[in-house]
Amino acid sequence: MRVIKWAVILAFISCTCGCAGMNATDQRILSGGAIGSAAGLGAAAIIGAPLIVGAAAGAAAGVVGGAVIDHEDRHVGAHAIDHAGIAEQPADQDQDRAGAVLGAGEQLAPGA
């Protein structure tokens, strides 16, 4: 019983603090691996394959998927923003655009 108590405490701490210092790339790769391993485990359970094989294959696919998504978000997304001219506009133009969208009587909240 004492081992189970410490295992639960360790799992809780890991879940709440484990990703605090990670950058976006690390978070996407880790979450892709976790989601992939859960999906692979579920698929292996349904088809009757060894669970460890399903979890490992799903985790590998999830890690690759997370890395691809991160690459696409960083490179293709930044390229699209540059071509749209969004990154080159000063902050005061953003405020003018927001005021035009909100109307005459409404104001944009500070820091939004």
Side-chain angles (χ1 to χ4, degrees), residues 13 40 48 71 89 100:
I13 291 171
H71 175 74
Q89 294 179 352

Side-chain angles (χ1 to χ4, degrees), residues 6-31:
W6 282 107
V8 169
I9 290 171
L10 182 62
F12 178 74
I13 291 171
S14 297
C15 289
T16 57
C17 302
C19 299
M22 295 178 130
N23 61 25
T25 301
D26 294 340
Q27 289 177 355
R28 287 186 179 125
I29 290 173
L30 181 66
S31 63

